[in-house]
Every structure is written in structure tokens, then in C-alpha cells.
Amino acid sequence: MNRERQLAQAFLALSDTYAAEFDPLHLFHSLVHAYHDLLDVDAAAVMIADARGGLRTMASTDEDAAFTELLQLQSGHGPCMDSYCIGEPVSVPDIAAERERWPELATVMIDAGYDSLQAIPMRLQERPLGALTLLRRHPGRLNDDDVHLVQALADSAALALMHWSTEPARADDVITRVQGVIASKATLEIPRA
């Protein structure tokens, strides 16, 4: 399957909150696997803030990615924690160069065969809701286009979460909302005398 089709399917999967079977955990699972499938990354994980502001790992593509998240959660330090706090991407092109800053994280990543990490905030209107970790088995940064793609998917997932309801919308409710928008637009277009 070509990348454009995969990308379109990823956005669709992340935005379909009106489906009766929508499950936020499935959303996180789809998100990390979309990154793994679409980008030059070897593993991915996502953390989301709870009501008290503490982060929790929601999904990962493998155990090493989940453990990387856990280390950051337990220590309160790491690229994902930084990304969540500042609401901006954090790139670590060579984790070995960061041994002094994050000794335990660097050791675990290197032992697992990972050389670099990209952290991306999951945001809703610039407000961080969580963070993503993308791990690579070679040093270097993700290119700018891929970082923008990761951010767009993450922000789409955050938006989907905000529109999710435990009560699935009925088809009639959606049609009623659309009709309301059409009526509002028609009212605005009425020429004034």
C-alpha cells in the first residue's frame, strides 16, 4: 500500500469518534502503529495525562518502547516529559551523547539497540495532553516533514479524544447538526435590503 493511502487511513482511523465501537485505547494503539508503519521509526509509545496531570502509558508497539516510557514516568525526566511540559517536539539524535543528562534512560535505550528518540507533544489548541516517543535503531533526527506529520497525527488524535462521547451519536443527531450548520450559513447569506 502506498504511503498516501496509509496516511489517509491513519487520519480516518484517528478521527472516527462517532463510530459505535470507538475505543480510546484502540485510538492510541492505532496512533503508535501508524507512526511505526508510516515513518522511519522502529518503535513508538504514547503517554496521556490523567486528571491530576500525571502521565500514563496508553499504548506501545513493543516492550522496549513501553519500558522507555516507564523510566521517564518514574524519574520524571526525559525527552517525553520535556516535550509534554513545553508543548513542543524534542529531538534526541544520539542518546549516547545524553548519558549525563538521562543516564538510566540512555543505558536502557542503548542496551535495547536504540540510538535516537523523537518526542512529540499530543496537543489540543497548544495545550499538551500527553506525549509520544518514537525510537530509532540508528542515530539522527527525523526530517522536518516527518516531524510535522507526527504532530498533525498527534493533534488529530487529541481532537478526536475531545469529541469522543461514551454515548455514540445517532445518525439522526449528526444529520441534525449538519442541517443546523446549513441553516446558519443560509441565514448569513440572505441579502440585506
Side-chain angles (χ1 to χ4, degrees):
M1 183 183 318
N2 68 27
R3 186 171 185 203
E4 290 79 17
R5 182 173 288 178
Q6 285 179 308
L7 183 57
Q9 287 180 337
F11 273 106
L12 181 60
L14 296 175
S15 64
D16 194 11
T17 59
Y18 288 118
E21 67 278 357
F22 179 80
D23 177 358
L25 293 177
H26 181 71
L27 173 100
F28 298 129
H29 180 78
S30 295
L31 184 65
V32 296
H33 285 281
Y35 291 135
H36 185 261
D37 295 343
L38 287 167
L39 303 169
D40 178 24
V41 299
D42 297 295
V46 61
M47 295 188 287
I48 296 296
D50 62 19
R52 295 180 304 201
L55 293 169
R56 302 283 179 254
T57 301
M58 302 306 292
S60 65
T61 56
D62 66 29
E63 290 179 17
D64 291 327
F67 191 61
T68 300
E69 297 287 73
L70 180 63
L71 283 176
Q72 293 181 75
L73 290 171
Q74 287 178 338
S75 70
H77 302 288
C80 278
M81 303 303 282
D82 292 352
S83 182
Y84 171 70
C85 289
I86 64 173
E88 295 294 330
V90 174
S91 181
V92 182
D94 182 4
I95 193 65
E98 301 295 334
R99 279 190 193 266
E100 225 175 273
R101 185 174 182 190
W102 301 305
E104 191 174 9
L105 178 65
T107 299
V108 166
M109 281 183 59
I110 291 166
D111 289 348
Y114 294 109
D115 295 317
S116 62
L117 177 149
Q118 177 72 51
I120 300 286
M122 202 169 174
R123 306 178 299 209
L124 182 65
Q125 298 175 346
E126 303 305 317
R127 180 177 175 249
L129 302 177
L132 300 145
T133 300
L134 305 174
L135 301 171
R136 301 169 75 198
R137 294 193 182 279
H138 56 280
R141 298 177 185 275
L142 282 179
N143 68 52
D144 288 343
D145 289 341
D146 284 349
V147 171
H148 291 296
L149 172 61
V150 172
Q151 190 66 70
L153 283 167
D155 291 348
S156 293
L159 184 61
L161 285 174
M162 292 303 102
H163 289 286
W164 170 62
S165 171
T166 55
E167 296 294 323
R170 298 184 328 239
D172 291 344
D173 293 340
V174 174
I175 291 170
T176 301
R177 289 180 191 173
V178 170
Q179 290 302 314
V181 170
I182 291 170
S184 295
K185 185 175 185 315
T187 301
L188 292 173
E189 292 176 348
I190 295 174
R192 298 187 191 264

